[in-house]
Amino acid sequence: MRFKKDFYWKNGCSVKAGRGLPERIGLRRSEKLMQKQTDFLVIGSGISGLSFALKAARLGKVTLVTKKARVDTATNLAQGGIAAVLAEDDSFDLHVQDTLRCGAGLCHEDVVQMVVENGPARVRELMALGIHFMSDDQDPSHLDLGREGGHSARRIAHACDLTGHEIEHGLLRAVAANPNIEVLENHLAVDLLIGSRAGVDIPSDGVDQCFGAYVLGPDNVVSTFRARVTMLCSGGAGKVYLYTTNPDIATGDGIAMAYRAGAKVANLEFVQFHPTCLYHPKAKNFLISEAVRGEGGRLIDERGNAFMTKYDQRGDLATRDTVARAIDTEMKSSGDDCVYLDISFQPAAFIQKRFPNIYQTCLSLGIDITREPIPVVPAAHYMCGGVQTDAMGRSTISNLYALGEASCTGLHGGNRLASNSLLEGVVYAHQAFVQCEKDWPELGKQPLPELAPWDPGPAERLEECVLISHNWDQIRRLMWNYVGIVRSEKRLQLVRERLAPVVAEINQHYRDYLLTPDLVELRNIAQLAELIIRCALIRKESRGLHFMVDYPERDDANWHRDTII
Ligand SMILES: Cc1cc2nc3c(=O)[nH]c(=O)nc-3n(C[C@H](O)[C@H](O)[C@H](O)COP(=O)(O)OP(=O)(O)OC[C@H]3O[C@@H](n4cnc5c(N)ncnc54)[C@H](O)[C@@H]3O)c2cc1C
């Protein structure tokens, strides 16, 4: 008899807690059962998870699970920097206006204001941890602030093109020194522990509660991690697409888990495609930072013609959605495999100093960017939608928060402004901490309910990995070809039909085979693909990152709202 695994999948509910377990649910004697209890379960070791963990450790014990090595995060790859009002000739109002303009009418203005105003303090906190942003050559008491597309002022704090690496490693150093934080690598959260599904009564306010998660450990055993507060800091979902700048961890697990648990998710049709990913057979998803255009880089076609002013009066400094669509149009009309980004007219010494990582990586592939243009194509880069949260990072389920790229806070609206996502991660980690601190006198005392252990049922070991890899490839290709930069209702309907049998097959695998990280991630990218398509079909207009050929205009009368499912 199968309980938890099937029920989570099929019926959205699971076995009641404490009913004659484990015999009743048929656990295998050989299965090693693990139960763990903590105050804060943080899922993810990027900027949002680490920043929150550091603050929450003042309140109680923090267990941070991360599904691969702790540095395997999008944060670690961030190049350009973190946006904040740090210069005297900049203002909160300018940063707010830039964010709103980029968000195509869907940003929540109160959220934008809050995040922008919090920015400088949060960046200074990072610096106080020993994280080093480049200072101005002429005046070392000031930061050397970069400029990026869509920003009307220089406001990007950076560590050359290795900003994410500097932030990630600085935060990890601080976490390692904190005795109240335990970091568990190669621990993958599979599903959330939701009160109503575990026999816990829904409180009188009618809002379901989260008590932690099932976590697949390195020994492929699923353990029950009980927690008073659960933080989804699991990052984005770029791996849903064939071409992406994202690291392998970006399979949308947190969004998929939250959705399965009954939380609201929003705006998943708004997928940002970065316009300039290096086009080279030996480069795996290598990003050419926005900052290259910020420093004067020009997009040209194979014949050397600059084309951006045809599409936007801001030319090469237009926002990402405009630039990505322009490149897509150029490539489709010319039949060329890529376009080129040229920064070679800048002095070589400047390029080598400002973009050491991009310079070296390109050089190792035979491209000297001080002398020749860089071949680039667009690639899936950032998920603007995610788990719907309020201004404190709370989801629609009690004690379940979502931070960073896994969340949809209202900051980005229909399009994210460059370098606003590291900012969002660190600001919302603070907001969530403020809320937890407020709730802690009561929440910290509440007993956690007994919860049923995971039941693998009669599932077998999966011997043929091709069953997983084939479906992975199929979903990512379908999404790239049918749900990419430019969409049509016909293609969205078609892909929905094509995806249905693939999803059915994955559901069957999920029931038939013992869990492995690949199987869990496959299930999540399939879930995300379905959700993105669903949201894209709902929005019958073009806005920000969502461009529908059938509805090429923005339609404020009908669609000036979030897509919430
Ligand atoms: C190449 C690149 C360059 C970028 N450049 C910039 C930039 O210059 N400025 C900017 O603002 N933004 C940039 N971004 C975006 C930004 O880096 C991310 O949005 C941000 O770092 C996300 O932080 P996060 O904490 O939400 O998640 P991440 O940093 O992605 O961390 C997610 C964590 O969750 C873990 N995880 C996921 N699923 C599970 C699970 N099921 N169980 C356990 N652990 C799990 C992962 O292993 C990882 O540790 C860039 C992104 C990329 C890919």
Side-chain angles (χ1 to χ4, degrees), residues 364-380:
S364 72
L365 296 165
I367 306 161
D368 181 351
I369 69 171
T370 64
R371 300 157 68 94
E372 58 192 314
I374 313 165
V376 291
V377 285

Side-chain angles (χ1 to χ4, degrees), residues 17-221:
R19 282 196 194 161
L21 295 167
E23 292 77 10
R24 170 104 197 278
I25 60 169
L27 278 173
R28 294 165 186 187
R29 279 178 198 284
S30 58
E31 255 346 299
K32 196 169 83 193
L33 284 181
M34 250 194 58
Q35 292 257 5
K36 202 170 171 70
Q37 183 171 328
T38 186
D39 290 319
F40 298 94
L41 175 64
V42 178
I43 300 171
S45 55
I47 189 168
S48 58
L50 296 172
S51 302
F52 176 78
L54 280 172
K55 294 191 172 187
R58 297 178 208 157
L59 302 175
K61 181 164 175 41
V62 179
T63 301
L64 188 150
V65 294
T66 186
K67 68 180 174 180
K68 293 200 169 153
R70 61 194 74 196
V71 292
D72 286 331
T73 62
T75 301
N76 198 30
L77 300 184
Q79 295 181 349
I82 179 165
V85 176
L86 297 159
E88 278 141 29
D89 57 354
D90 195 5
S91 71
F92 288 151
D93 192 46
L94 279 177
H95 192 178
V96 166
Q97 291 311 322
D98 291 343
T99 305
L100 294 177
R101 197 175 316 114
C102 183
L106 281 195
C107 299
H108 298 196
E109 204 166 332
D110 50 343
V111 167
V112 177
Q113 193 80 36
M114 181 278 285
V115 173
V116 164
E117 287 180 9
N118 257 280
R122 303 286 82 82
V123 170
R124 287 192 192 103
E125 269 176 10
L126 292 175
M127 291 165 73
L129 291 174
I131 291 165
H132 182 73
F133 297 113
M134 291 300 284
S135 46
D136 194 353
D137 275 349
Q138 260 78 54
D139 177 3
S141 66
H142 284 82
L143 291 177
D144 171 40
L145 298 170
R147 178 154 182 203
E148 292 186 340
H151 286 276
S152 57
R154 288 194 165 261
R155 65 169 70 100
I156 316 297
H158 65 90
C160 297
D161 55 1
L162 287 165
T163 311
H165 181 273
E166 177 66 18
I167 293 175
E168 179 76 22
H169 286 77
L171 288 170
L172 281 173
R173 275 193 305 275
V175 161
N178 193 313
N180 244 6
I181 307 174
E182 170 188 38
V183 177
L184 299 173
E185 293 184 319
N186 301 309
H187 279 69
L188 182 149
V190 175
D191 261 317
L192 297 166
L193 289 161
I194 297 302
S196 66
R197 298 178 188 184
V200 179
D201 289 338
I202 295 185
S204 53
D205 61 5
V207 182
D208 218 337
Q209 303 168 84
C210 180
F211 294 110
Y214 290 114
V215 177
L216 181 68
D219 47 8
N220 275 0
V221 170

Side-chain angles (χ1 to χ4, degrees), residues 42-51 64-83 148 156-158 160-161 163-164 167-168 184 186-191 214-216 232-237 244-255 257 272 274 285-291 320 380-383 403-407 412 416-426 520-521 524:
V42 178
I43 300 171
S45 55
I47 189 168
S48 58
L50 296 172
S51 302
L64 188 150
V65 294
T66 186
K67 68 180 174 180
K68 293 200 169 153
R70 61 194 74 196
V71 292
D72 286 331
T73 62
T75 301
N76 198 30
L77 300 184
Q79 295 181 349
I82 179 165
E148 292 186 340
I156 316 297
H158 65 90
C160 297
D161 55 1
T163 311
I167 293 175
E168 179 76 22
L184 299 173
N186 301 309
H187 279 69
L188 182 149
V190 175
D191 261 317
Y214 290 114
V215 177
L216 181 68
L232 291 171
C233 307
S234 43
T244 175
T245 62
N246 287 189
D248 289 346
I249 52 95
T251 49
D253 299 2
I255 303 169
M257 281 191 280
Q272 185 169 67
H274 197 289
N285 310 338
F286 186 72
L287 182 76
I288 306 298
S289 167
E290 189 98 23
R320 286 179 182 173
H381 183 56
Y382 185 83
M383 172 50 86
L403 310 177
E405 198 169 334
S407 66
H412 307 304
R416 174 190 70 126
L417 182 64
S419 289
N420 264 359
S421 48
L422 290 172
L423 176 68
E424 182 187 47
V426 76
V520 174
E521 289 183 338
N524 289 334

Side-chain angles (χ1 to χ4, degrees), residues 506-542:
I506 294 167
N507 292 353
Q508 196 58 47
H509 294 341
Y510 187 74
R511 284 190 278 272
D512 290 348
Y513 300 114
L514 288 170
L515 294 191
T516 62
D518 284 349
L519 181 50
V520 174
E521 289 183 338
L522 173 65
R523 178 191 183 214
N524 289 334
I525 67 158
Q527 176 101 67
L528 254 291
E530 278 190 318
L531 294 173
I532 293 170
I533 294 164
R534 215 168 117 196
C535 287
L537 275 166
I538 290 173
R539 186 173 290 282
K540 298 197 185 309
E541 65 159 350
S542 291

Side-chain angles (χ1 to χ4, degrees), residues 434-563:
V434 170
Q435 186 62 47
C436 290
E437 191 179 35
K438 188 165 157 234
D439 295 345
W440 204 240
E442 209 185 311
L443 187 60
K445 281 192 233 123
Q446 272 173 15
L448 283 169
E450 287 304 316
L451 297 165
W454 180 260
D455 169 27
E460 302 290 333
R461 217 173 100 90
L462 174 67
E463 302 291 351
E464 291 183 302
C465 293
V466 67
L467 295 180
I468 306 281
S469 56
H470 179 79
N471 283 337
W472 259 89
D473 189 58
Q474 208 178 351
I475 293 172
R476 298 181 66 206
R477 238 171 240 287
L478 279 172
M479 289 301 284
W480 183 257
N481 289 328
Y482 289 71
V483 199
I485 298 171
V486 175
R487 298 161 181 176
S488 75
E489 197 147 82
K490 186 166 174 209
R491 268 190 282 147
L492 291 175
Q493 299 282 10
L494 264 175
V495 71
R496 192 165 61 169
E497 283 163 30
R498 290 197 186 168
L499 203 61
V502 183
V503 170
E505 190 183 318
I506 294 167
N507 292 353
Q508 196 58 47
H509 294 341
Y510 187 74
R511 284 190 278 272
D512 290 348
Y513 300 114
L514 288 170
L515 294 191
T516 62
D518 284 349
L519 181 50
V520 174
E521 289 183 338
L522 173 65
R523 178 191 183 214
N524 289 334
I525 67 158
Q527 176 101 67
L528 254 291
E530 278 190 318
L531 294 173
I532 293 170
I533 294 164
R534 215 168 117 196
C535 287
L537 275 166
I538 290 173
R539 186 173 290 282
K540 298 197 185 309
E541 65 159 350
S542 291
R543 178 190 295 271
L545 299 164
H546 175 67
F547 189 83
M548 290 279 274
V549 285
D550 321 72
Y551 312 99
E553 302 301 326
R554 176 166 150 176
D555 175 3
D556 278 333
N558 293 302
W559 299 105
H560 189 232
R561 54 185 152 100
D562 293 326
T563 311

